[in-house]
Amino acid sequence: MICVKNLSHSIGKTSVLQDISLEIPKGKVTALVGPNGAGKSTLLSLIGRLMPLQTGRISIDGSDIAQTPTRELARRMAILSQTNSLGSRLRVRELVGFGRWPHHQGRPTHEDEQLVMQALDALDLTALGNRFLEELSGGQRQRAFIAMALAQGADWLLLDEPLAALDMAFARRIMAQLVALREAGRSIVVVVHDINHAAAWADHVIALKEGRIAAEGPPETVCTSQVLGDIFDMELRVTQIEGKPLVLHHL
Amino acid sequence: MRPTLTLLGLLVPLSVASLLIGAAGIGFASFGSDPHMALIMSVSRLPRTLAVILTGAALAIAGVVMQQMVRNRFVEPGTTGTAESAALGLLAVTIVAPASPIWVKMVVASLAAMAGTALFLRLIRRLPAREVLLVPVVGLILSGVLGAIVTFVGWQTDLLQLISIWLMTGEFSGVIAGRYELLWFAAGAAALAWFAADRFSILGLGRETTTSLGLNPDAVMRLGLVVVSVVTALVIVTVGMIPFVGLVVPNIVARRLGDNLRATLPVTAAGGATLVLACDIVGRLVRFPYEVPVGTILGVIGSGLFLWLLYREPAHG
């Protein structure tokens, strides 16, 4: 379980998160949703210790992230941030291989190589393994970064907008894959842009608005026209398909 | 490792040529029998050849480490204020304690280089990441400012001649046994980079990725700072700054083989050594038996290569 207590964060004079306390259940797919600028990415980055904590505490499976060595944390959680801008000329296989670094510290074993192959295969990248990242399309590159996070083999997988730049088919595949990982015992926290992906695949939804928690619970309770309408300040209809909420936000 | 082998295949004959070329003629006939020739070999030609190889390899590695640190391909220690800071430190020792032993000068120059490079890293932290060319521009401005201070102090203290050797025209004609051995330490610092190769490759992926893989980006930065500064300072103390090696060689290697430093560092080192040795030999032959400084030759060849690189690779910094 990830436990966040009294977390506030500001960037410059702007307050991004205000006194957030929440629990993210273990063994579930948790979706973070909310309008632009609600603080989703900041919250995820803070949990993934990519930014220093200002106030509040965060613990992951009982260990305070401010106290736990970063290498130890890297074996427990993998975080894919949104800002994986490209400066490096690496091959896909090399990038995914670095996902195993927390485990082998530069001396990959046969098992590490095996896991890298599996991650490549899971994202349909085996054929692209020898290509340089900069020679790939945005979506393919995104998949390579997801594969790297996957290869890290951590209990917790934190993904910031993994579906950005992906086409429909891959977006659905990634979400299905996250559910499969949950079945295999991992816990996933994912920031999703499209509310319907959260509604269809997540077990638990946390909605943020203006740096506060606006709603929290299973998709059926969060993805209602009233709750979402308040969060996004728009009128929308919600229907159901196969027992899952379907938000008609585009009509 | 085919590229390394190819480069070594070039480096070996070039080294032999370097041993044979010089004002004093060396013939195969008298090889091994002439004591005068053995003296020239052991005191002058061999040290010079080794100095060139060590300098080229170390500077190329310092260049690629710097590029990973700032995530920008268009920088090297010579264009980011590192060399000028080292010269400033060296100048300070020369003025304050001219009789101090060489290792003191080396330590002071290294520390000054670290301070100057740290200043550069601080300056570029606020630059927008998209503006790839701002980073080298800021580097050039910083080296310009530091260089101006060095020149001013040098002018006031009548030490301009030393400065022009340190910063403008690095060359190897003064290298004899006993006056180049510091370069082994530079090579040692560069070798340190090989042990941390994965760390630098990961750092090149950005602070977030570095952190999420359980590495402290600041610690890796500090390690890089030590490598870059020590290499630059030692090269300046012994032979003077050699431009462009740290820029051109890593760029060509990255284009061909990418940024996985574990695999590319040997190629980068061999490439730097080969390039500088070839230029040094050209410098010795152009006006034989006089010499043109290797820095001048590299300046001509290097700027040509750099322009070619700029036009070949506009999109990705």
Side-chain angles (χ1 to χ4, degrees), chain B residues 8 11 18 28 36 45 58 85 88 99 105 121 127 132 141-142 161 168 174 176 183 196 215 232 243 259 286:
Chain B
L8 288 180
L11 196 54
S18 166
F28 281 104
H36 177 63
R45 298 287 167 76
S85 320
L88 201 56
K105 293 184 177 168
L121 293 174
L127 295 179
V132 174
I141 293 171
L142 180 65
Q161 223 172 358
M168 314 294 266
I176 50 169
L183 288 171
L215 282 170
T232 311
D259 279 326
V286 171

Side-chain angles (χ1 to χ4, degrees), chain B residues 44 62 74-75 80 104 112 118 140 156 166 172 222 303:
Chain B
S44 166
F74 301 123
V75 296
T80 53
V104 172
L140 286 172
Q156 295 290 326
W166 293 339
F172 295 93
R222 281 194 291 273
S303 45

Side-chain angles (χ1 to χ4, degrees), chain B residues 200-218:
Chain B
F200 290 123
S201 294
I202 290 172
L203 187 66
L205 288 167
R207 296 184 73 85
E208 279 92 358
T209 309
T210 311
T211 310
S212 74
L213 290 178
L215 282 170
N216 177 353
D218 294 320

Side-chain angles (χ1 to χ4, degrees), chain A residues 49-50 70-71 74 79 81 83 85 87-91 94-95 98-99 101-102 106 132 134 148 152, chain B residues 68 71 73 198-199 201-202 204-205 208-209 211-215 254-260 316-317:
Chain A
R49 50 88 173 85
L50 299 186
T70 182
R71 187 186 294 177
I79 172 161
S81 56
T83 51
S85 62
S88 265
R89 210 168 136 77
L90 287 178
R91 292 174 205 279
E94 292 167 342
L95 178 84
F98 281 134
W101 166 267
F132 282 114
E134 58 189 7
M148 172 164 116
Q152 210 171 321
Chain B
Q68 293 292 315
R71 307 185 69 198
R73 292 212 189 288
D198 287 338
R199 285 178 167 78
S201 294
I202 290 172
L205 288 167
E208 279 92 358
T209 309
T211 310
S212 74
L213 290 178
L215 282 170
R255 274 194 75 80
R256 289 290 167 109
L257 304 171
D259 279 326
N260 185 6
H316 334 277

Side-chain angles (χ1 to χ4, degrees), chain B residues 27-135:
Chain B
F28 281 104
S30 54
F31 209 89
S33 58
D34 185 349
H36 177 63
M37 203 181 75
L39 188 71
I40 291 177
M41 273 293 171
S42 65
V43 173
S44 166
R45 298 287 167 76
L46 188 63
R48 176 172 191 158
T49 306
L50 285 173
V52 175
I53 290 173
L54 293 174
T55 304
L59 280 179
I61 287 179
V64 73
V65 168
M66 182 107 214
Q67 286 154 23
Q68 293 292 315
M69 286 166 71
V70 304
R71 307 185 69 198
N72 190 302
R73 292 212 189 288
F74 301 123
V75 296
E76 64 144 10
T79 61
T80 53
T82 311
E84 284 75 8
S85 320
L88 201 56
L90 204 48
L91 191 58
V93 192
T94 312
I95 294 166
V96 177
S100 52
I102 186 89
W103 65 266
V104 172
K105 293 184 177 168
M106 164 189 128
V107 169
V108 174
S110 301
L111 290 176
M114 278 180 220
T117 314
L119 176 65
F120 169 69
L121 293 174
R122 212 182 176 81
L123 283 176
I124 61 163
R125 197 178 280 179
R126 287 166 184 275
L127 295 179
R130 298 247 158 238
E131 300 291 334
V132 174
L133 288 177
L134 270 185
V135 172

Side-chain angles (χ1 to χ4, degrees), chain B residues 90-299:
Chain B
L90 204 48
L91 191 58
V93 192
T94 312
I95 294 166
V96 177
S100 52
I102 186 89
W103 65 266
V104 172
K105 293 184 177 168
M106 164 189 128
V107 169
V108 174
S110 301
L111 290 176
M114 278 180 220
T117 314
L119 176 65
F120 169 69
L121 293 174
R122 212 182 176 81
L123 283 176
I124 61 163
R125 197 178 280 179
R126 287 166 184 275
L127 295 179
R130 298 247 158 238
E131 300 291 334
V132 174
L133 288 177
L134 270 185
V135 172
V137 167
V138 168
L140 286 172
I141 293 171
L142 180 65
S143 5
V145 171
L146 290 171
I149 298 174
V150 173
T151 310
F152 177 75
V153 177
W155 174 263
Q156 295 290 326
T157 51
D158 234 354
L159 290 171
L160 273 185
Q161 223 172 358
L162 277 180
I163 291 165
S164 75
I165 292 173
W166 293 339
L167 287 184
M168 314 294 266
T169 47
E171 48 108 27
F172 295 93
S173 65
V175 170
I176 50 169
R179 286 194 50 195
Y180 82 102
E181 284 76 2
L182 276 181
L183 288 171
W184 286 106
F185 287 97
L192 195 64
W194 193 78
F195 286 104
D198 287 338
R199 285 178 167 78
F200 290 123
S201 294
I202 290 172
L203 187 66
L205 288 167
R207 296 184 73 85
E208 279 92 358
T209 309
T210 311
T211 310
S212 74
L213 290 178
L215 282 170
N216 177 353
D218 294 320
V220 187
M221 281 291 237
R222 281 194 291 273
L223 182 64
L225 195 63
V226 169
V227 170
V228 169
S229 305
V230 169
V231 167
T232 311
L234 290 183
V235 167
I236 285 183
V237 170
T238 42
V239 293
M241 195 57 197
I242 315 283
F244 284 111
V245 192
L247 197 60
V248 173
V249 175
N251 267 288
I252 293 173
V253 172
R255 274 194 75 80
R256 289 290 167 109
L257 304 171
D259 279 326
N260 185 6
L261 299 197
R262 175 75 65 200
T264 61
L265 275 186
V267 189
T268 308
T274 308
L275 178 65
V276 179
L277 191 52
C279 288
D280 187 52
I281 291 173
V282 171
R284 281 186 254 172
L285 290 176
V286 171
R287 289 174 56 207
F288 191 84
Y290 305 104
E291 291 199 13
V292 177
V294 68
T296 309
I297 305 283
L298 258 172

